[in-house]
Amino acid sequence: MNLFHRPRRNRKSPAIRAMVRETVLTPSDFIYPLFLHEDRGDAEIASMPGCRRWSLDGLVQEAGKAHALGIPAVILFPVIAEGLKTPEAEECANPEGLVPRAVQALKAAHPSLVVITDVALDPYNSDGQDGLVRRGEDGSLEVLNDQTVEVLCRQALCHAEAGADMVGPSDMMDGRVAAIRTALDGASFEGVSILGYTAKYASAYYGPFRGALDSAPKDGDKKTYQMEPANVREAVRELLLDEEEGADMVMVKPAGPYLDVIAALRDETTLPVAAYQVSGEYLMIKSACAAGWLEEKAVVMESLTGIKRAGADVILSYFAKQVAQRLG
Ligand code: PBG
């Protein structure tokens, strides 16, 4: 053939392919999500093979290993004992609670590790919703916005007092970023950052996570506050609000099925964009690989590269440590 253009020339050797590679993952791209519980031992999570509920000691060790591999940050998800869950979710702001103790232990052991906490009521709330619930006489369920935001502010302050570097409101209540910013600043925590879960969708991919924390809603769903999966303009609207309200970083969640949303936010904002490869995305890869149908290493790298290529500056992934190990 008399071809003038032969794109294959740029793929002809590993060296040339490396030279023209547009997207490169590094350990510093990642935030490592970790589950913790009050028990002494570490426990495998049935719904998320390869992930554990860590004891405080186990958590400090695991975070230390990840940090030594170059991962800058962890985000914490607590399993709260059933007996501590109440309709008002008071435990979420208990200074002696599991999360504040974990933050203190992590910062004491690894001062340079960025410790991020999740701000939402679902692990603490006997209804399993991210906010406070009011039930109508007809059995209908309403998740209250403004009352919830007050509790979220107390929760964020409690995490800041324990030494958290960053709080991540994942609740999707309106106005919570501004309210949390004001509460933090009012208590002289100007240095504590806010990672807004800006475009968090009402996703079926969260199932394994709710199993990991026993935090599934007791009834109803989360569709009156988490976003409709069909929408992308609405994500931009949430972005503009979170920017205005003072978020330091914005997030898209889940990641893989929402690459267009990541790209849209990347186009619209100068803030760093984070994306969360959630439990269902993790489990799909894990189970297909356990069955021998996909090759884990390659699929993990490809899924994460795709998320970064779409525009994510930061990726939350249960694969973070494994990937950092491979890149190191
Ligand atoms: C709850 C929260 C959820 C996740 C992170 N924070 C679940 C939910 O909204 O129901 C999901 C993470 C995952 O699936 O990996 N505030």
Side-chain angles (χ1 to χ4, degrees), residues 48 77 118 120 122 130 170-171 197 200 205-207 209-210 222 226 253 276-280 318:
M48 297 179 67
F77 295 105
D118 190 71
D122 48 324
D130 291 23
S170 69
D171 53 282
Y197 281 62
K200 176 171 178 180
Y205 287 88
Y206 306 149
F209 173 98
R210 294 176 188 170
K222 300 191 175 184
Q226 298 182 348
K253 174 181 178 187
Y276 196 149
Q277 184 184 51
V278 300
S279 56
Y318 302 100

Side-chain angles (χ1 to χ4, degrees), residues 22 79 102 120 158 313 320:
E22 298 173 34
V79 182
C158 165
D313 303 286

Side-chain angles (χ1 to χ4, degrees), residues 143-290:
V143 174
L144 304 171
N145 193 85
D146 301 13
Q147 295 87 330
T148 298
V149 170
E150 282 177 34
V151 184
L152 297 172
C153 288
R154 290 203 287 277
Q155 184 182 21
L157 272 178
C158 165
H159 296 171
E161 275 155 15
D165 299 287
M166 196 181 289
V167 293
S170 69
D171 53 282
M172 291 302 278
M173 297 300 119
D174 291 333
R176 89 280 206 211
V177 170
I180 291 172
R181 186 70 273 154
T182 305
L184 289 172
D185 290 356
S188 299
F189 290 115
E190 299 89 353
V192 173
S193 325
I194 300 179
L195 164 61
Y197 281 62
T198 298
K200 176 171 178 180
Y201 287 88
S203 172
Y205 287 88
Y206 306 149
F209 173 98
R210 294 176 188 170
L213 293 190
D214 294 332
S215 66
K218 297 289 179 328
D219 59 274
D221 52 42
K222 300 191 175 184
K223 290 180 184 170
T224 66
Y225 47 104
Q226 298 182 348
M227 280 178 48
E228 162 65 40
N231 293 355
V232 62
R233 291 195 304 270
E234 192 180 354
V236 175
R237 183 177 188 210
E238 289 283 2
L239 165 71
L240 297 175
L241 286 169
D242 276 7
E243 278 191 322
E244 179 70 31
E245 292 182 31
D248 297 285
M249 225 179 257
V250 293
M251 193 200 293
V252 176
K253 174 181 178 187
Y258 294 87
L259 297 179
D260 58 323
V261 181
I262 297 174
L265 262 53
R266 177 64 292 154
D267 270 358
E268 294 281 345
T269 184
T270 57
L271 292 175
V273 175
Y276 196 149
Q277 184 184 51
V278 300
S279 56
E281 299 176 76
Y282 173 83
L283 185 64
M284 286 197 307
I285 294 177
K286 275 298 210 191
S287 43
C289 297

